[in-house]
Amino acid sequence: MRRGLRISLVTLTGAALTLGASACGGKKATTGGDAGDGKKTVKVGLAYDIGGRGDKSFNDAAYAGLQRVKSTLNLEVKDIEATKGESDNDKVQRLELLAKSGYNPVIAVGFAYAGPLGKVAKNHPNTKFAIVDDSSVTGPNVTNLVFAEEQGSFLVGAAAALKSKTGKIGFIGGVDTPLIKKFEAGYTAGAKHAKPDIKIDVKYISRGTDFSGFSDPAKGKTVAEGQYDGGADVIYHAAGLSGVGLFQAAAAKQKYAIGVDSDQYQTAEAAQKPLIITSMLKRVDTAVFDFVKAAGEGTAKSGPITFDLKNDGVGYSTANAAEIKDVQAKLDEYKQQIISGAITVPTK
């Protein structure tokens, strides 16, 4: 992608942040001057999804994107976490705080911000907003960063089926939302394509408006243990921070696991690493990188931008070479067939 560049990153938290009032309402939000090195300073606001920074998955991928903006920009970053059980009004206040304090652009991480962002973006027409995982919010100052999760999940589903010795694999979803159903659909399709007689045990940690399934490692571990005990020997999760529980169960049971969003082999504990075959890579970092860079250069466009296998917006990790190398050629074959259209991956 973009290499050989330097970064200047300042993270402001708590009392270190001085909130300005120069960018309220319809007034143009400032992106600052420079830090004496000729680089433009851009104030970026980042509103996290449930699980927050440190989830080693979805939210961390978003923050990693900021760290890759290394070209002509100095970054002044304010990142704020969501809380369990919060209301849409809490999200509105979070986004309003960032916009009114002069942060421009502002990035909402996760589809749960769709309603709140729709309200806030109208109040701040000169602030550039982006939302990850939602295409329903529209506006001249809103960019939708969306992904073909089903395509990457197809590949790791094929890997799970090909690596399984018992003929049974598992899927753990954090919450049964349409988005997570895309992960399930792709995973199931990939597994069935690679091994038509494979059995798939699908479980969700929470349902409906209960979003705790994305931030409950203990429940994630309990669900995974049940699936392993039921005969599954490979489990893929799309459950955010709850996926930590899957890896704990995998280490305890000495069975395989598959990560999501980030390359979770890289951040797993030593005892877990050998058992994480691969991770479905959802390049939230690339999406955030591209958007912030474009916003800083004044070229950010509104509307949806889709990241898929064709533009390397999704994929699978190969860090655990000892476990993935025997199926990698087959996965790459499937990847090319999806890109060419020979394989159509379902989203439901």
PDB file of all heavy atoms in Angstrom, residues 308-339:
ATOM      1  N   ASP A 308     -13.350  -5.026  -0.835  1.00  0.00           N
ATOM      2  CA  ASP A 308     -13.617  -6.442  -1.088  1.00  0.00           C
ATOM      3  C   ASP A 308     -12.328  -7.171  -1.452  1.00  0.00           C
ATOM      4  O   ASP A 308     -11.226  -6.630  -1.299  1.00  0.00           O
ATOM      5  CB  ASP A 308     -14.679  -6.596  -2.182  1.00  0.00           C
ATOM      6  CG  ASP A 308     -14.305  -5.875  -3.480  1.00  0.00           C
ATOM      7  OD1 ASP A 308     -13.108  -5.518  -3.659  1.00  0.00           O
ATOM      8  OD2 ASP A 308     -15.199  -5.673  -4.317  1.00  0.00           O
ATOM      9  N   LEU A 309     -12.449  -8.396  -1.959  1.00  0.00           N
ATOM     10  CA  LEU A 309     -11.262  -9.162  -2.315  1.00  0.00           C
ATOM     11  C   LEU A 309     -10.507  -8.518  -3.475  1.00  0.00           C
ATOM     12  O   LEU A 309      -9.281  -8.564  -3.526  1.00  0.00           O
ATOM     13  CB  LEU A 309     -11.645 -10.594  -2.701  1.00  0.00           C
ATOM     14  CG  LEU A 309     -11.992 -11.563  -1.567  1.00  0.00           C
ATOM     15  CD1 LEU A 309     -12.394 -12.924  -2.133  1.00  0.00           C
ATOM     16  CD2 LEU A 309     -10.811 -11.736  -0.607  1.00  0.00           C
ATOM     17  N   LYS A 310     -11.236  -7.905  -4.381  1.00  0.00           N
ATOM     18  CA  LYS A 310     -10.610  -7.330  -5.562  1.00  0.00           C
ATOM     19  C   LYS A 310      -9.651  -6.208  -5.213  1.00  0.00           C
ATOM     20  O   LYS A 310      -8.595  -6.063  -5.847  1.00  0.00           O
ATOM     21  CB  LYS A 310     -11.685  -6.827  -6.529  1.00  0.00           C
ATOM     22  CG  LYS A 310     -11.153  -6.407  -7.885  1.00  0.00           C
ATOM     23  CD  LYS A 310     -12.290  -6.078  -8.842  1.00  0.00           C
ATOM     24  CE  LYS A 310     -11.758  -5.730 -10.230  1.00  0.00           C
ATOM     25  NZ  LYS A 310     -12.871  -5.437 -11.180  1.00  0.00           N
ATOM     26  N   ASN A 311      -9.988  -5.389  -4.222  1.00  0.00           N
ATOM     27  CA  ASN A 311      -9.095  -4.287  -3.837  1.00  0.00           C
ATOM     28  C   ASN A 311      -8.381  -4.546  -2.509  1.00  0.00           C
ATOM     29  O   ASN A 311      -7.890  -3.625  -1.868  1.00  0.00           O
ATOM     30  CB  ASN A 311      -9.850  -2.956  -3.793  1.00  0.00           C
ATOM     31  CG  ASN A 311     -11.021  -2.951  -2.811  1.00  0.00           C
ATOM     32  OD1 ASN A 311     -11.082  -3.783  -1.898  1.00  0.00           O
ATOM     33  ND2 ASN A 311     -11.944  -2.017  -2.990  1.00  0.00           N
ATOM     34  N   ASP A 312      -8.332  -5.833  -2.124  1.00  0.00           N
ATOM     35  CA  ASP A 312      -7.653  -6.252  -0.882  1.00  0.00           C
ATOM     36  C   ASP A 312      -8.266  -5.623   0.360  1.00  0.00           C
ATOM     37  O   ASP A 312      -7.594  -5.454   1.384  1.00  0.00           O
ATOM     38  CB  ASP A 312      -6.156  -5.944  -0.932  1.00  0.00           C
ATOM     39  CG  ASP A 312      -5.403  -6.838  -1.911  1.00  0.00           C
ATOM     40  OD1 ASP A 312      -5.772  -8.022  -2.008  1.00  0.00           O
ATOM     41  OD2 ASP A 312      -4.474  -6.361  -2.578  1.00  0.00           O
ATOM     42  N   GLY A 313      -9.550  -5.299   0.287  1.00  0.00           N
ATOM     43  CA  GLY A 313     -10.247  -4.767   1.452  1.00  0.00           C
ATOM     44  C   GLY A 313     -10.624  -5.831   2.455  1.00  0.00           C
ATOM     45  O   GLY A 313     -10.872  -5.530   3.634  1.00  0.00           O
ATOM     46  N   VAL A 314     -10.690  -7.079   2.006  1.00  0.00           N
ATOM     47  CA  VAL A 314     -10.869  -8.237   2.884  1.00  0.00           C
ATOM     48  C   VAL A 314      -9.904  -9.317   2.412  1.00  0.00           C
ATOM     49  O   VAL A 314      -9.343  -9.231   1.313  1.00  0.00           O
ATOM     50  CB  VAL A 314     -12.320  -8.788   2.871  1.00  0.00           C
ATOM     51  CG1 VAL A 314     -13.297  -7.761   3.416  1.00  0.00           C
ATOM     52  CG2 VAL A 314     -12.733  -9.235   1.470  1.00  0.00           C
ATOM     53  N   GLY A 315      -9.708 -10.334   3.239  1.00  0.00           N
ATOM     54  CA  GLY A 315      -8.796 -11.408   2.871  1.00  0.00           C
ATOM     55  C   GLY A 315      -8.604 -12.368   4.023  1.00  0.00           C
ATOM     56  O   GLY A 315      -9.461 -12.475   4.906  1.00  0.00           O
ATOM     57  N   TYR A 316      -7.466 -13.051   4.036  1.00  0.00           N
ATOM     58  CA  TYR A 316      -7.163 -13.953   5.147  1.00  0.00           C
ATOM     59  C   TYR A 316      -5.681 -13.868   5.463  1.00  0.00           C
ATOM     60  O   TYR A 316      -4.860 -13.559   4.601  1.00  0.00           O
ATOM     61  CB  TYR A 316      -7.573 -15.397   4.815  1.00  0.00           C
ATOM     62  CG  TYR A 316      -6.687 -16.089   3.791  1.00  0.00           C
ATOM     63  CD1 TYR A 316      -5.655 -16.943   4.199  1.00  0.00           C
ATOM     64  CD2 TYR A 316      -6.879 -15.897   2.425  1.00  0.00           C
ATOM     65  CE1 TYR A 316      -4.850 -17.583   3.270  1.00  0.00           C
ATOM     66  CE2 TYR A 316      -6.082 -16.533   1.490  1.00  0.00           C
ATOM     67  CZ  TYR A 316      -5.064 -17.374   1.917  1.00  0.00           C
ATOM     68  OH  TYR A 316      -4.254 -17.995   0.994  1.00  0.00           O
ATOM     69  N   SER A 317      -5.336 -14.094   6.710  1.00  0.00           N
ATOM     70  CA  SER A 317      -3.949 -13.958   7.143  1.00  0.00           C
ATOM     71  C   SER A 317      -3.179 -15.254   6.939  1.00  0.00           C
ATOM     72  O   SER A 317      -3.739 -16.356   6.986  1.00  0.00           O
ATOM     73  CB  SER A 317      -3.886 -13.549   8.613  1.00  0.00           C
ATOM     74  OG  SER A 317      -4.403 -14.575   9.444  1.00  0.00           O
ATOM     75  N   THR A 318      -1.876 -15.102   6.753  1.00  0.00           N
ATOM     76  CA  THR A 318      -1.003 -16.268   6.554  1.00  0.00           C
ATOM     77  C   THR A 318       0.124 -16.292   7.574  1.00  0.00           C
ATOM     78  O   THR A 318       1.134 -16.972   7.374  1.00  0.00           O
ATOM     79  CB  THR A 318      -0.408 -16.251   5.134  1.00  0.00           C
ATOM     80  OG1 THR A 318       0.331 -15.027   4.947  1.00  0.00           O
ATOM     81  CG2 THR A 318      -1.494 -16.340   4.079  1.00  0.00           C
ATOM     82  N   ALA A 319      -0.045 -15.570   8.677  1.00  0.00           N
ATOM     83  CA  ALA A 319       1.022 -15.470   9.675  1.00  0.00           C
ATOM     84  C   ALA A 319       1.372 -16.816  10.285  1.00  0.00           C
ATOM     85  O   ALA A 319       2.535 -17.104  10.562  1.00  0.00           O
ATOM     86  CB  ALA A 319       0.617 -14.483  10.765  1.00  0.00           C
ATOM     87  N   ASN A 320       0.356 -17.656  10.513  1.00  0.00           N
ATOM     88  CA  ASN A 320       0.616 -18.985  11.073  1.00  0.00           C
ATOM     89  C   ASN A 320       0.896 -19.940   9.918  1.00  0.00           C
ATOM     90  O   ASN A 320       0.082 -20.801   9.573  1.00  0.00           O
ATOM     91  CB  ASN A 320      -0.575 -19.466  11.896  1.00  0.00           C
ATOM     92  CG  ASN A 320      -0.261 -20.729  12.690  1.00  0.00           C
ATOM     93  OD1 ASN A 320       0.807 -21.326  12.541  1.00  0.00           O
ATOM     94  ND2 ASN A 320      -1.189 -21.147  13.538  1.00  0.00           N
ATOM     95  N   ALA A 321       2.076 -19.783   9.326  1.00  0.00           N
ATOM     96  CA  ALA A 321       2.422 -20.539   8.121  1.00  0.00           C
ATOM     97  C   ALA A 321       2.358 -22.042   8.332  1.00  0.00           C
ATOM     98  O   ALA A 321       1.982 -22.791   7.420  1.00  0.00           O
ATOM     99  CB  ALA A 321       3.823 -20.136   7.656  1.00  0.00           C
ATOM    100  N   ALA A 322       2.694 -22.504   9.520  1.00  0.00           N
ATOM    101  CA  ALA A 322       2.715 -23.948   9.782  1.00  0.00           C
ATOM    102  C   ALA A 322       1.333 -24.568   9.607  1.00  0.00           C
ATOM    103  O   ALA A 322       1.213 -25.742   9.232  1.00  0.00           O
ATOM    104  CB  ALA A 322       3.229 -24.213  11.200  1.00  0.00           C
ATOM    105  N   GLU A 323       0.285 -23.802   9.864  1.00  0.00           N
ATOM    106  CA  GLU A 323      -1.069 -24.347   9.783  1.00  0.00           C
ATOM    107  C   GLU A 323      -1.801 -24.003   8.487  1.00  0.00           C
ATOM    108  O   GLU A 323      -2.669 -24.749   8.058  1.00  0.00           O
ATOM    109  CB  GLU A 323      -1.899 -23.872  10.980  1.00  0.00           C
ATOM    110  CG  GLU A 323      -1.452 -24.439  12.307  1.00  0.00           C
ATOM    111  CD  GLU A 323      -1.591 -25.963  12.376  1.00  0.00           C
ATOM    112  OE1 GLU A 323      -2.319 -26.544  11.555  1.00  0.00           O
ATOM    113  OE2 GLU A 323      -0.959 -26.571  13.257  1.00  0.00           O
ATOM    114  N   ILE A 324      -1.476 -22.880   7.873  1.00  0.00           N
ATOM    115  CA  ILE A 324      -2.243 -22.443   6.703  1.00  0.00           C
ATOM    116  C   ILE A 324      -1.627 -22.892   5.382  1.00  0.00           C
ATOM    117  O   ILE A 324      -2.315 -22.967   4.356  1.00  0.00           O
ATOM    118  CB  ILE A 324      -2.395 -20.895   6.709  1.00  0.00           C
ATOM    119  CG1 ILE A 324      -3.524 -20.451   5.762  1.00  0.00           C
ATOM    120  CG2 ILE A 324      -1.080 -20.214   6.333  1.00  0.00           C
ATOM    121  CD1 ILE A 324      -4.891 -20.876   6.194  1.00  0.00           C
ATOM    122  N   LYS A 325      -0.347 -23.235   5.382  1.00  0.00           N
ATOM    123  CA  LYS A 325       0.348 -23.459   4.107  1.00  0.00           C
ATOM    124  C   LYS A 325      -0.232 -24.618   3.299  1.00  0.00           C
ATOM    125  O   LYS A 325      -0.219 -24.575   2.057  1.00  0.00           O
ATOM    126  CB  LYS A 325       1.843 -23.679   4.353  1.00  0.00           C
ATOM    127  CG  LYS A 325       2.185 -24.918   5.168  1.00  0.00           C
ATOM    128  CD  LYS A 325       3.695 -25.027   5.365  1.00  0.00           C
ATOM    129  CE  LYS A 325       4.071 -26.247   6.191  1.00  0.00           C
ATOM    130  NZ  LYS A 325       5.542 -26.329   6.393  1.00  0.00           N
ATOM    131  N   ASP A 326      -0.774 -25.648   3.960  1.00  0.00           N
ATOM    132  CA  ASP A 326      -1.269 -26.811   3.218  1.00  0.00           C
ATOM    133  C   ASP A 326      -2.596 -26.555   2.511  1.00  0.00           C
ATOM    134  O   ASP A 326      -2.992 -27.336   1.636  1.00  0.00           O
ATOM    135  CB  ASP A 326      -1.383 -28.030   4.132  1.00  0.00           C
ATOM    136  CG  ASP A 326      -2.310 -27.818   5.308  1.00  0.00           C
ATOM    137  OD1 ASP A 326      -2.414 -26.669   5.766  1.00  0.00           O
ATOM    138  OD2 ASP A 326      -2.918 -28.804   5.780  1.00  0.00           O
ATOM    139  N   VAL A 327      -3.286 -25.475   2.871  1.00  0.00           N
ATOM    140  CA  VAL A 327      -4.555 -25.168   2.205  1.00  0.00           C
ATOM    141  C   VAL A 327      -4.504 -23.827   1.463  1.00  0.00           C
ATOM    142  O   VAL A 327      -5.472 -23.438   0.818  1.00  0.00           O
ATOM    143  CB  VAL A 327      -5.728 -25.147   3.225  1.00  0.00           C
ATOM    144  CG1 VAL A 327      -5.883 -26.505   3.885  1.00  0.00           C
ATOM    145  CG2 VAL A 327      -5.548 -24.051   4.265  1.00  0.00           C
ATOM    146  N   GLN A 328      -3.379 -23.161   1.522  1.00  0.00           N
ATOM    147  CA  GLN A 328      -3.272 -21.816   0.967  1.00  0.00           C
ATOM    148  C   GLN A 328      -3.510 -21.784  -0.539  1.00  0.00           C
ATOM    149  O   GLN A 328      -4.184 -20.878  -1.054  1.00  0.00           O
ATOM    150  CB  GLN A 328      -1.904 -21.224   1.299  1.00  0.00           C
ATOM    151  CG  GLN A 328      -1.794 -19.737   1.020  1.00  0.00           C
ATOM    152  CD  GLN A 328      -0.513 -19.137   1.584  1.00  0.00           C
ATOM    153  OE1 GLN A 328       0.178 -19.756   2.397  1.00  0.00           O
ATOM    154  NE2 GLN A 328      -0.173 -17.937   1.151  1.00  0.00           N
ATOM    155  N   ALA A 329      -2.969 -22.745  -1.261  1.00  0.00           N
ATOM    156  CA  ALA A 329      -3.148 -22.771  -2.716  1.00  0.00           C
ATOM    157  C   ALA A 329      -4.620 -22.879  -3.081  1.00  0.00           C
ATOM    158  O   ALA A 329      -5.099 -22.210  -4.013  1.00  0.00           O
ATOM    159  CB  ALA A 329      -2.361 -23.921  -3.321  1.00  0.00           C
ATOM    160  N   LYS A 330      -5.354 -23.705  -2.368  1.00  0.00           N
ATOM    161  CA  LYS A 330      -6.786 -23.871  -2.631  1.00  0.00           C
ATOM    162  C   LYS A 330      -7.546 -22.581  -2.303  1.00  0.00           C
ATOM    163  O   LYS A 330      -8.440 -22.166  -3.043  1.00  0.00           O
ATOM    164  CB  LYS A 330      -7.332 -25.040  -1.814  1.00  0.00           C
ATOM    165  CG  LYS A 330      -8.812 -25.311  -2.020  1.00  0.00           C
ATOM    166  CD  LYS A 330      -9.133 -25.643  -3.475  1.00  0.00           C
ATOM    167  CE  LYS A 330      -8.580 -26.983  -3.902  1.00  0.00           C
ATOM    168  NZ  LYS A 330      -9.020 -27.338  -5.283  1.00  0.00           N
ATOM    169  N   LEU A 331      -7.186 -21.933  -1.193  1.00  0.00           N
ATOM    170  CA  LEU A 331      -7.848 -20.678  -0.817  1.00  0.00           C
ATOM    171  C   LEU A 331      -7.588 -19.590  -1.853  1.00  0.00           C
ATOM    172  O   LEU A 331      -8.504 -18.828  -2.196  1.00  0.00           O
ATOM    173  CB  LEU A 331      -7.374 -20.213   0.564  1.00  0.00           C
ATOM    174  CG  LEU A 331      -7.621 -21.149   1.747  1.00  0.00           C
ATOM    175  CD1 LEU A 331      -7.248 -20.441   3.049  1.00  0.00           C
ATOM    176  CD2 LEU A 331      -9.055 -21.639   1.791  1.00  0.00           C
ATOM    177  N   ASP A 332      -6.365 -19.529  -2.350  1.00  0.00           N
ATOM    178  CA  ASP A 332      -6.043 -18.519  -3.359  1.00  0.00           C
ATOM    179  C   ASP A 332      -6.784 -18.803  -4.665  1.00  0.00           C
ATOM    180  O   ASP A 332      -7.153 -17.875  -5.395  1.00  0.00           O
ATOM    181  CB  ASP A 332      -4.534 -18.460  -3.592  1.00  0.00           C
ATOM    182  CG  ASP A 332      -3.791 -17.836  -2.420  1.00  0.00           C
ATOM    183  OD1 ASP A 332      -4.446 -17.172  -1.586  1.00  0.00           O
ATOM    184  OD2 ASP A 332      -2.564 -18.025  -2.324  1.00  0.00           O
ATOM    185  N   GLU A 333      -7.007 -20.069  -4.954  1.00  0.00           N
ATOM    186  CA  GLU A 333      -7.797 -20.441  -6.134  1.00  0.00           C
ATOM    187  C   GLU A 333      -9.233 -19.947  -5.981  1.00  0.00           C
ATOM    188  O   GLU A 333      -9.807 -19.354  -6.906  1.00  0.00           O
ATOM    189  CB  GLU A 333      -7.779 -21.959  -6.302  1.00  0.00           C
ATOM    190  CG  GLU A 333      -8.615 -22.481  -7.458  1.00  0.00           C
ATOM    191  CD  GLU A 333      -8.654 -23.998  -7.493  1.00  0.00           C
ATOM    192  OE1 GLU A 333      -7.642 -24.644  -7.107  1.00  0.00           O
ATOM    193  OE2 GLU A 333      -9.696 -24.560  -7.899  1.00  0.00           O
ATOM    194  N   TYR A 334      -9.795 -20.174  -4.807  1.00  0.00           N
ATOM    195  CA  TYR A 334     -11.157 -19.697  -4.545  1.00  0.00           C
ATOM    196  C   TYR A 334     -11.224 -18.171  -4.612  1.00  0.00           C
ATOM    197  O   TYR A 334     -12.198 -17.605  -5.115  1.00  0.00           O
ATOM    198  CB  TYR A 334     -11.629 -20.162  -3.159  1.00  0.00           C
ATOM    199  CG  TYR A 334     -11.836 -21.657  -3.027  1.00  0.00           C
ATOM    200  CD1 TYR A 334     -11.774 -22.272  -1.775  1.00  0.00           C
ATOM    201  CD2 TYR A 334     -12.097 -22.458  -4.124  1.00  0.00           C
ATOM    202  CE1 TYR A 334     -11.971 -23.630  -1.631  1.00  0.00           C
ATOM    203  CE2 TYR A 334     -12.294 -23.819  -3.998  1.00  0.00           C
ATOM    204  CZ  TYR A 334     -12.223 -24.406  -2.739  1.00  0.00           C
ATOM    205  OH  TYR A 334     -12.423 -25.755  -2.603  1.00  0.00           O
ATOM    206  N   LYS A 335     -10.194 -17.515  -4.086  1.00  0.00           N
ATOM    207  CA  LYS A 335     -10.156 -16.056  -4.111  1.00  0.00           C
ATOM    208  C   LYS A 335     -10.255 -15.535  -5.535  1.00  0.00           C
ATOM    209  O   LYS A 335     -11.047 -14.621  -5.827  1.00  0.00           O
ATOM    210  CB  LYS A 335      -8.856 -15.555  -3.451  1.00  0.00           C
ATOM    211  CG  LYS A 335      -8.669 -14.039  -3.536  1.00  0.00           C
ATOM    212  CD  LYS A 335      -7.351 -13.613  -2.906  1.00  0.00           C
ATOM    213  CE  LYS A 335      -7.133 -12.105  -3.078  1.00  0.00           C
ATOM    214  NZ  LYS A 335      -5.852 -11.672  -2.437  1.00  0.00           N
ATOM    215  N   GLN A 336      -9.460 -16.103  -6.437  1.00  0.00           N
ATOM    216  CA  GLN A 336      -9.490 -15.661  -7.827  1.00  0.00           C
ATOM    217  C   GLN A 336     -10.828 -15.950  -8.487  1.00  0.00           C
ATOM    218  O   GLN A 336     -11.304 -15.172  -9.332  1.00  0.00           O
ATOM    219  CB  GLN A 336      -8.347 -16.318  -8.608  1.00  0.00           C
ATOM    220  CG  GLN A 336      -6.953 -15.835  -8.194  1.00  0.00           C
ATOM    221  CD  GLN A 336      -6.830 -14.323  -8.239  1.00  0.00           C
ATOM    222  OE1 GLN A 336      -7.240 -13.674  -9.208  1.00  0.00           O
ATOM    223  NE2 GLN A 336      -6.259 -13.740  -7.185  1.00  0.00           N
ATOM    224  N   GLN A 337     -11.452 -17.060  -8.106  1.00  0.00           N
ATOM    225  CA  GLN A 337     -12.760 -17.392  -8.669  1.00  0.00           C
ATOM    226  C   GLN A 337     -13.839 -16.418  -8.198  1.00  0.00           C
ATOM    227  O   GLN A 337     -14.761 -16.085  -8.954  1.00  0.00           O
ATOM    228  CB  GLN A 337     -13.137 -18.829  -8.305  1.00  0.00           C
ATOM    229  CG  GLN A 337     -12.290 -19.869  -9.013  1.00  0.00           C
ATOM    230  CD  GLN A 337     -12.596 -21.293  -8.564  1.00  0.00           C
ATOM    231  OE1 GLN A 337     -13.212 -21.507  -7.525  1.00  0.00           O
ATOM    232  NE2 GLN A 337     -12.152 -22.260  -9.343  1.00  0.00           N
ATOM    233  N   ILE A 338     -13.720 -15.952  -6.967  1.00  0.00           N
ATOM    234  CA  ILE A 338     -14.666 -14.939  -6.456  1.00  0.00           C
ATOM    235  C   ILE A 338     -14.446 -13.626  -7.184  1.00  0.00           C
ATOM    236  O   ILE A 338     -15.392 -12.960  -7.618  1.00  0.00           O
ATOM    237  CB  ILE A 338     -14.500 -14.756  -4.929  1.00  0.00           C
ATOM    238  CG1 ILE A 338     -14.931 -16.027  -4.202  1.00  0.00           C
ATOM    239  CG2 ILE A 338     -15.321 -13.554  -4.445  1.00  0.00           C
ATOM    240  CD1 ILE A 338     -14.597 -16.022  -2.719  1.00  0.00           C
ATOM    241  N   ILE A 339     -13.188 -13.224  -7.353  1.00  0.00           N
ATOM    242  CA  ILE A 339     -12.876 -11.978  -8.040  1.00  0.00           C
ATOM    243  C   ILE A 339     -13.363 -12.002  -9.486  1.00  0.00           C
ATOM    244  O   ILE A 339     -13.897 -11.010 -10.009  1.00  0.00           O
ATOM    245  CB  ILE A 339     -11.356 -11.694  -7.985  1.00  0.00           C
ATOM    246  CG1 ILE A 339     -10.928 -11.377  -6.540  1.00  0.00           C
ATOM    247  CG2 ILE A 339     -10.979 -10.549  -8.916  1.00  0.00           C
ATOM    248  CD1 ILE A 339      -9.422 -11.252  -6.360  1.00  0.00           C
TER     249      ILE A 339
END
